[in-house]
Structures are given as C-alpha cells and as structure tokens.
Amino acid sequence: MTPELMIKACSFYTGHLVKTHFCTWRDIARTNENVALAEKMNRAVTCYNFRLQKSVFHHWRSYMEDQKEKLKNTLLRIQQIIYCHKLSIILTKWRNRARLKSKKKEDELILKHELQLKKWKNRLILKRATAEESNFPEQSSSEGSLVDETLKCDISLLPERAILQIFFYLSLKDVIICGQVNHAWMLMTQLNSLWNAIDFSTVKNVIPDKYILSTLQRWRLNVLRLNFHGCLLRPKTFRSVSHCRNLQELNVSDCPTFTDESMRHISEGCPGVLYLNLSNTTITNRTMRLLPRHFHNLQNLSLAYCRGFTDKGLQYLNLGNGCHKLIYLDLSGCTQISVQGFRYIANSCTGITHLTINDMPTLTDNCVKALVEKCSRITSLVFTGAPHISDRTFKALSTCKLRKIRFEGNKRVTDASFKYIDKNYPNLSHIYMADCKGITDSSLRSLSPLRQLTVLNLANCVRIGDMGLRQFLDGPASIRIRELNLSNCVRLSDVSVMKLSERCPNLNYLSLRNCDHLTAQGIGYIVNIFSLVSIDLSGTDISNEGLNVLSKHKKLKELSVSECYGITDVGIQITDSAMEMLSAKCHYLHILDISGCVLLTDQILEDLQIGCKQLRILKMQYCTNISKKAAQRMSSKVQQQEYNSNDPPRWFGYDREGDPLTELDNVTPSKGASELTVEKSTYSSEEQAA
C-alpha cells in the first residue's frame, strides 16, 4: 500500500465519519425543534382559548348588565304607568263629580227660571182675566195686589254659559241692539267670551267707523278673530286692528280700501296671526315682504284674486324666518304667477298640505311640477277652472300623499291619470272630477281598489256607463262610499242602481239627476239603500208610481224631483186610495225640491203640512199651478222657501201645461249650465268639510 492510497483512505474515512455524525446531530436537532414547536403551539392555543373565553365572558357580562338595566327601567316605567293610571282614575272621578255638581246647580237655576217664567205667565193670565171681569170691583181689587207682586223674568239669572250660547246665535248687529234694551242686557252683551270673535261683515255700511274703533279699543285684549269681509272702511280703522295683540284670525277679503300701509300696521301689532285672508285686495309686493318678517306662525293664507303682487313678491316669502309653517294656501285667480313664482313658493313654503288654485287659465303642468318638487306634503288639492292641466300633473303629484283632489271642467285629464291611482294615492278619500269629458269606464275600474274612498263626484262625465260603475262597485271602494254624484251620466240605467243597492251599505247622498234611462224598477232598488238620507232624481222619468215606491224609505230626509213633469198631485197627496205616499211616510223629510213640476196645485202644500211636519226647505220654482197665496201660507211653516210661478225654461222640454215642446232651441248648453249650478249647491257643505 502506498502512502498516497493511505492518505486517500484516511481522508475518505474521516469524511464518512464526519458525515455520519453530522446527520445524526441534524436528526437530533430537528427532533428537538419539533418538540419545542409543538409546545409553543400548545401554549398558543391555550392562550387563545383563554382570551376568547375572556372576551365572551366580557360581552356576556355587558349584555347581562344591559338586561338588568332594561328590566329595572321597565319596572320603573310600569310603576309610573300604574301611578298615572291611578291618578287618571282619581281625576276622572273628581271631574265627573264636579260636572255632576255643576250640572245640578245649573239645572236648579234653570228650574228656578222656568218657575219664575211660569209664575209670570200665570200672573199675566190673571191680569187679563181681571181686566175682563172689571164689573166685579171686589174681585178686581183682591187680584190687583197679586198682579203688583208679579215676578219679572230675568234671563241674567241663567248661567253664563247658557247666556253665551244664546248670544252666539246672534249677529253683531243684533248683539248691539240687545245691549240697548236695558242695563242688565247691556251687561250680558259685555261678557268677555262673547267678543273673542267679531264679525263686522254683517253690519257693513250700517254702523260707523267710529263705533268700530271704540269696539276694537275696548276689547283689544279679548279679540281673537276679526272679519271685515266686504267692509268699506277708512285706513285709520284698519290701523286700529294693530291694538289687538292676541289676534289670531283676520279676514279683510273684498275690502277695496285695504292697502299695504294698513298691512304694515297690523303686522307690527299682531305677530300671532295664524289665519290671514287677503282675497281680492289691492296688496302689492310690499305686503308680501311683511308676511315672513312678522307672521312667523302663519298657517293659513289666502291671496285669491290679488293681482297686485308679482313673482318677486313670492320670492320675499323666504326672507327672515320665512313662512315655513304655512299649511294652507289659496292662489285662485292669480294669473300673474309664472313657473318661477311657483318655484319661489316651493322654496319657502315646503310644509303646505292644502292647496287651492281656482280660475287659473294660465296654470300649466310645469307650474305644478315646479311646486311639488319640494312641497311633498300636499294632501288636499283643488284645481277648478284650469283647462291646461293634463295627465302630466297627476304624474308629478305621485310624490305627494293626496287624500282629496278636485278637478272640474277639464278636458285634458284622461284615463291615464287613474291607471296607477291605487298605488300612487292609496289614501284618497275624496275625488271630485266633475265635467271631465276624458274620463271613461276604465277610470272607474282603476278607482275600485281605493279602500279609503268616501266621496266620489263624477257629475257631467257623460262617457261613464253601467259597465264601469259595476266594475267600480265590485271593488273594496264600494264598502265605505258615503257620497256619490252621477248627475248627467246619461248612460246609466237600472242595472247601476241595482248594483248600488247591493254593494253600498253606507251610502248617504246620491245624485242621479238627468239620468234618463232610470225607470220605476230602478226606483224600487233605491228603497233598498237603507242608509240613504238624500237623493236627487231631478230631470228623470220618475212618475207617481215611482214616488209611491220611494215613500217606503224611512230615513230619507232630502228629496229633489224638480223637472219631473211625470209627477202630479196624486203622487204627493194623502188620500184613502193612495198608500199615504210621500207626506204620509217620509215624516223626517227636511228638504224638498219640486221645481218645474207644473202639474202640482195648492193641494200639495196642504198635504205636506199634514204629513211632513219637519220640512225645513221647500223649493217651488216654475210651479205654474201653485198660487202665490198658498205659497205665502206655506212660507210660515218652513225655514226657507223659494217660489215663482213663471213658465219653465225652454230647455226643460215642456210648457206650463206639462206638454212636450216640439222644437227646442239651445237646449243642451242651457241645461248643462243649470245642472252645474245645482250640483255645486247640492254638495257645497261636503266640499267645505273636505
């Protein structure tokens, strides 16, 4: 073996030995690292679990503390409710006892007054009897002493509330006259509560300005409401209103002498005005500048037919605190307002809920769109005399929560406006769409899902027929409908009336004026509408037989059968052969319109006096066979009566004898105009409630 091989052998052996020991060391080192890593992981898991438990426990503890706090607050609230309930019961019992005691005291005073009045009447009768028996001097002298002791009937002994209730029914002129009777009556007319509201419109051109000035000066702290409607007063008189610091309502409509200077004095002295009516006055932009600066709580504003202000004046409404509390606005007849003016209104009066714009031929869809962009709280809307309003307006109003809408005499509103009405306006309760020629049966079908609808006026919508009304009544809207006006809907027949009797259990007011296809069979269905209290059958073919059937209705209070020349005396008299007809069974009839019934005679008035003792209003226009003398006798039995014996107008279609006319000139236009007037008068009270 050579030395070189020996060196190689040693080197190989040494390297192999080193490699073997290094691998062994490496394996041992790796084993120790795994063990240490496993221990670290175990410690990390343990620490994580501990922290997690700690966090969960912390959240649980917070939750429990919150629950304990809520429980504690709930118990305190329950204790407060129980305590308040006990107090409410105690106060209710105390109030009932106080009311009972007060009522008992008032009853005693009233009874005392009645006894005094009875004694006074008895003494008066005795005095008359004494005068008649003056031939017996002894008896006369003995009774004369009793007459001298007669007690006077003094209404001042009545409770103050009863006195106020009596004088509240009198006008200002009558109150002034009563104050001149004697000293006691003068004191009664000077009760503070009686002068909270003063209406000078009833005494305009009767009492001088000097009296008005003294009245306002004396009751300046009591006056809450002032009405100067139509008064022609001096500017000094209007300036005296500024002394009424507590004034809340002011009406100066139709006052030609009311100017911006008058408004300046009032605005400086009466900052608490809530209701302000400036209709048809000569105010300008100066007054518009004063409104937002002084009337910070103004809620009701009427600028109807005020054409002295411009769009610039409407921009002033946003000055100072602005008119942000305004909820009612009337801009009728203000034709000078442009689209920009409506934008100014929207910027300053965002809280408007009731908007009235009548007689506005310049009103367009763009005006309404500009207004409702920021006035989304509008719930009541009136547009009459606005012919340029179209379906686009309804689309713009979809952002508002409308409950009452009124359109009249519009030809551009079509069925498209009602297509999605149940989705856009689910809370609609009043709909007035009179004389809108574009409405057809399709619109009625769209209205049927409205569950809140109570009043529907479709007068002069001549394209509506039985099919549309049937589809409307099949929906939930028929359940709550209370007032329905279908005047001049000439396509309706007995089928519609039959459906009304089946689907309208709460219907109170119904107008079928000039529905020519209505027959006696349809009248029979009307009797089945048990809730009905008022019906208008004017211009229909109702006859004596139909009136005979209608008299079976027990709750009917108002009946209009004008222009029904098929009705004669036989239909309304009381005879043995008739079934006690109208006057025999309709004992609660309050209003009766028989205008145009030319075949009726004086006998009908005697029949009405016997059977309809609660009759209050009687209309007898164009009744040629009723004499003036009989009408004068009847006027003392009713509160209001309209009578003339003129020949009926030609558009009635018959002469003074009841015979049909052979040739009629201009029948339709005149008839339509009259029908519209009657429709307005019939539903005037319901429109004011809306």
Side-chain angles (χ1 to χ4, degrees):
M1 178 179 295
T2 61
E4 292 81 2
L5 293 176
M6 190 64 179
I7 293 171
K8 289 182 179 180
C10 290
S11 299
F12 175 78
Y13 177 75
T14 302
H16 178 72
L17 185 62
V18 171
K19 183 178 180 181
T20 302
H21 284 79
F22 177 77
C23 291
T24 303
W25 171 81
R26 186 181 61 185
D27 294 339
I28 294 173
R30 285 182 176 177
T31 302
N32 293 335
E33 289 179 358
N34 293 335
V35 173
L37 183 61
E39 292 178 357
K40 290 181 179 180
M41 288 297 297
N42 291 333
R43 289 198 298 271
V45 170
T46 302
C47 182
Y48 174 76
N49 292 334
F50 176 75
R51 290 184 177 179
L52 183 62
Q53 291 177 358
K54 184 178 179 180
S55 177
V56 172
F57 178 77
H58 177 73
H59 288 294
W60 175 80
R61 181 181 178 183
S62 300
Y63 173 76
M64 293 303 298
E65 290 179 352
D66 292 341
Q67 291 298 318
K68 289 181 180 179
E69 189 68 23
K70 290 181 180 180
L71 181 61
K72 182 179 178 180
N73 294 335
T74 303
L75 292 175
L76 290 175
R77 180 62 178 165
I78 292 175
Q79 291 177 357
Q80 292 177 356
I81 292 175
I82 294 174
Y83 179 72
C84 293
H85 183 64
K86 289 182 179 179
L87 287 180
S88 177
I89 294 175
I90 294 172
L91 289 175
T92 302
K93 291 183 178 179
W94 172 82
R95 183 181 59 187
N96 292 337
R97 290 183 180 179
R99 286 180 176 176
L100 183 62
K101 187 176 180 180
S102 177
K103 187 176 184 302
K104 185 177 180 181
K105 185 178 179 180
E106 291 181 2
D107 292 341
E108 290 176 355
L109 291 174
I110 293 174
L111 180 61
K112 182 179 178 181
H113 171 71
E114 291 178 351
L115 291 175
Q116 291 179 352
L117 183 62
K118 187 175 181 180
K119 289 181 180 179
W120 177 77
K121 289 182 178 179
N122 292 335
R123 297 292 174 85
L124 185 62
I125 294 173
L126 183 60
K127 183 178 180 181
R128 292 177 179 175
T130 303
E132 292 176 356
E133 298 177 0
S134 58
N135 296 330
F136 302 94
E138 295 180 358
Q139 183 177 0
S140 176
S141 59
S142 62
E143 293 177 354
S145 59
L146 294 176
V147 175
D148 296 335
E149 299 176 358
T150 301
L151 295 176
K152 295 182 179 181
C153 177
D154 190 0
I155 67 170
S156 62
L157 299 177
L158 291 174
E160 181 177 328
R161 188 177 66 178
I163 296 174
L164 288 175
Q165 192 66 27
I166 293 173
F167 282 100
F168 277 149
Y169 286 103
L170 303 180
S171 64
L172 179 61
K173 180 180 178 181
D174 295 332
V175 172
I176 295 173
I177 295 174
C178 291
Q180 298 173 354
V181 174
N182 52 40
H183 183 70
W185 281 58
M186 182 186 69
L187 294 178
M188 285 188 293
T189 59
Q190 293 179 356
L191 295 173
N192 292 339
S193 301
L194 189 62
W195 296 93
N196 287 342
I198 306 179
D199 187 359
F200 290 109
S201 63
T202 59
V203 292
K204 58 185 178 181
N205 304 326
V206 177
I207 61 176
D209 288 14
K210 182 179 179 180
Y211 179 82
I212 296 177
L213 287 171
S214 62
T215 302
L216 295 178
Q217 182 66 25
R218 180 172 185 176
W219 305 104
R220 60 185 182 275
L221 298 180
N222 298 94
V223 175
L224 301 178
R225 297 184 293 275
L226 280 177
N227 185 4
F228 291 102
H229 172 73
C231 295
L232 186 62
L233 304 177
R234 294 179 298 175
K236 182 180 179 180
T237 306
F238 284 119
R239 288 199 296 269
S240 64
V241 178
S242 60
H243 299 299
C244 304
R245 299 290 181 179
N246 298 322
L247 188 64
Q248 297 181 1
E249 298 183 11
L250 177 62
N251 184 357
V252 292
S253 59
D254 295 325
C255 294
T257 57
F258 188 83
T259 61
D260 294 330
E261 188 65 18
S262 305
M263 192 71 240
R264 183 180 67 82
H265 290 282
I266 294 175
S267 62
E268 293 175 354
C270 308
V273 171
L274 303 177
Y275 170 93
L276 182 60
N277 190 342
L278 302 174
S279 302
N280 199 19
T281 57
T282 59
I283 62 167
T284 64
N285 291 343
R286 291 180 57 194
T287 294
M288 303 300 290
R289 186 191 292 268
L290 296 172
L291 296 180
R293 290 185 175 180
H294 299 279
F295 300 130
H296 301 156
N297 297 318
L298 188 63
Q299 296 180 2
N300 191 310
L301 176 62
S302 177
L303 299 172
Y305 307 100
C306 295
R307 297 188 172 92
F309 67 90
T310 63
D311 292 343
K312 187 68 175 179
L314 296 174
Q315 188 178 11
Y316 292 150
L317 294 178
N318 206 21
L319 296 177
N321 293 329
C323 296
H324 301 302
K325 295 185 179 180
L326 198 66
I327 59 176
Y328 177 89
L329 181 62
D330 189 350
L331 298 174
S332 301
C334 298
T335 55
Q336 75 276 15
I337 303 177
S338 65
V339 177
Q340 186 61 38
F342 283 99
R343 289 196 181 96
Y344 291 146
I345 296 174
N347 292 331
S348 56
C349 308
T350 57
I352 295 177
T353 58
H354 303 278
L355 180 64
T356 301
I357 306 179
N358 297 329
D359 300 329
M360 194 82 158
T362 58
L363 187 68
T364 62
D365 297 329
N366 293 331
C367 297
V368 180
K369 184 178 180 181
L371 183 64
V372 300
E373 284 179 352
K374 295 185 179 180
C375 298
S376 58
R377 300 180 184 178
I378 297 177
T379 59
S380 177
L381 196 63
V382 179
F383 287 155
T384 61
H388 298 294
I389 294 296
S390 67
D391 297 333
R392 292 175 55 195
T393 293
F394 271 86
K395 184 177 180 180
L397 291 171
S398 60
T399 58
C400 304
K401 298 180 180 179
L402 290 180
R403 294 184 179 179
K404 300 178 183 179
I405 57 174
R406 177 179 174 85
F407 286 76
E408 189 171 319
N410 192 297
K411 298 181 180 180
R412 302 184 65 184
V413 176
T414 64
D415 295 334
S417 299
F418 298 90
K419 189 174 183 181
Y420 303 104
I421 195 170
D422 58 323
K423 297 180 180 178
N424 295 334
Y425 318 110
N427 298 320
L428 269 178
S429 59
H430 291 64
I431 299 179
Y432 298 88
M433 301 298 294
D435 199 20
C436 294
K437 309 299 183 182
I439 296 178
T440 66
D441 291 342
S442 179
S443 297
L444 279 176
R445 183 172 62 251
S446 302
L447 296 176
S448 61
L450 297 177
R451 298 180 179 274
Q452 305 297 326
L453 189 62
T454 58
V455 177
L456 179 61
N457 188 337
L458 297 175
N460 298 326
C461 296
V462 295
R463 299 177 66 184
I464 291 176
D466 292 331
M467 180 62 69
L469 188 59
R470 182 183 64 81
Q471 293 173 344
F472 168 75
L473 296 176
D474 285 337
S478 61
I479 303 300
R480 299 190 62 179
I481 196 73
R482 181 169 49 86
E483 178 180 321
L484 184 61
N485 188 348
L486 299 172
S487 300
N488 296 322
C489 296
V490 294
R491 298 186 180 184
L492 298 179
S493 64
D494 296 340
V495 178
S496 297
V497 182
M498 179 184 67
K499 199 67 176 180
L500 286 172
S501 64
E502 296 174 353
R503 297 287 300 171
C504 299
N506 298 312
L507 187 63
N508 299 138
Y509 302 91
L510 176 63
S511 177
L512 298 172
R513 174 180 287 266
N514 295 325
C515 293
D516 301 333
H517 298 292
L518 190 64
T519 65
Q521 184 179 4
I523 301 298
Y525 294 132
I526 293 177
V527 180
N528 297 327
I529 309 177
F530 302 109
S531 59
L532 201 63
V533 296
S534 173
I535 186 169
D536 188 353
L537 297 174
S538 303
T540 61
D541 293 334
I542 183 174
S543 60
N544 294 338
E545 291 76 12
L547 197 62
N548 183 3
V549 176
L550 195 61
S551 65
K552 298 178 182 179
H553 200 292
K554 300 298 183 181
K555 293 185 178 180
L556 199 61
K557 294 183 179 180
E558 181 177 351
L559 174 64
S560 179
V561 289
S562 62
E563 306 172 36
C564 298
Y565 54 86
I567 299 177
T568 63
D569 288 341
V570 178
I572 305 184
Q573 65 185 3
I574 297 175
T575 61
D576 295 334
S577 59
M579 44 77 64
E580 297 179 347
M581 305 300 262
L582 181 69
S583 56
K585 290 197 173 182
C586 296
H587 301 294
Y588 301 101
L589 192 66
H590 291 176
I591 304 174
L592 179 62
D593 187 354
I594 53 175
S595 301
C597 297
V598 295
L599 299 182
L600 300 181
T601 64
D602 296 347
Q603 180 63 36
I604 181 181
L605 301 183
E606 298 179 5
D607 299 333
L608 291 175
Q609 292 181 27
I610 296 174
C612 302
K613 297 184 181 298
Q614 296 193 20
L615 190 64
R616 299 175 182 174
I617 300 177
L618 179 60
K619 298 181 181 180
M620 301 182 293
Q621 303 286 350
Y622 312 114
C623 293
T624 56
N625 288 327
I626 296 180
S627 65
K628 183 178 181 179
K629 184 177 181 180
Q632 290 177 346
R633 289 197 302 267
M634 188 65 187
S635 63
S636 62
K637 306 296 182 181
V638 295
Q639 297 178 3
Q640 179 182 344
Q641 178 175 297
E642 298 178 7
Y643 165 77
N644 69 56
S645 58
N646 300 334
D647 291 344
R650 293 186 60 82
W651 51 265
F652 272 30
Y654 51 91
D655 57 16
R656 62 181 295 113
E657 302 297 333
D659 299 326
L661 297 177
T662 56
E663 295 181 359
L664 296 178
D665 297 329
N666 301 325
V667 173
T668 304
S670 301
K671 186 176 181 180
S674 175
E675 289 162 354
L676 182 59
T677 304
V678 173
E679 183 271 327
K680 285 184 178 179
S681 64
T682 304
Y683 292 88
S684 59
S685 60
E686 191 62 27
E687 293 167 4
Q688 293 172 0

